[in-house]
Amino acid sequence: MAKYSTECKLKVVQEYHAGRGSYKTLSKLYHVSRKSIEEWVKAYQAFGDDGLRRSRAQQTYTFKFKCSAVECYHLLQ
């Protein structure tokens, strides 16, 4: 699945709200699925700009933390 920047999503949503095209028209214009645009519009309506931002940040774990998790797992077995 392609990932789109927050700015790209916002631009498409603003175009839709300004009446510059339907989901189908904007889908063809920006090469984005109609379903994605619908989801972006709903997220924007519900949460504003925050609804278009990626919700998951890349999480990193230390070697020590990973070892502790494995030890805990083995204790529970």
Side-chain angles (χ1 to χ4, degrees):
M1 183 170 120
K3 293 194 166 80
Y4 299 95
S5 69
T6 303
E7 293 79 18
C8 174
K9 294 176 187 179
L10 185 58
K11 182 177 182 181
V12 174
V13 169
Q14 288 173 338
E15 292 280 318
Y16 176 78
H17 281 297
R20 294 192 188 108
S22 64
Y23 292 133
K24 185 177 179 181
T25 303
L26 294 171
S27 173
K28 288 181 181 179
L29 182 65
Y30 290 101
H31 306 286
V32 176
S33 74
R34 187 171 82 54
K35 180 78 172 158
S36 292
I37 296 173
E38 288 178 26
E39 290 173 2
W40 297 346
V41 169
K42 287 178 186 176
Y44 183 80
Q45 288 171 340
F47 304 106
D49 290 355
D50 289 339
L52 301 177
R53 290 192 177 87
R54 289 188 64 199
S55 60
R56 291 183 283 153
Q58 187 67 24
Q59 185 69 38
T60 57
Y61 300 100
T62 64
F63 181 74
K64 183 177 179 180
F65 179 84
K66 291 176 186 179
C67 287
S68 296
V70 171
E71 288 174 8
C72 182
Y73 175 78
H74 284 294
L75 288 173
L76 296 174
Q77 295 301 317

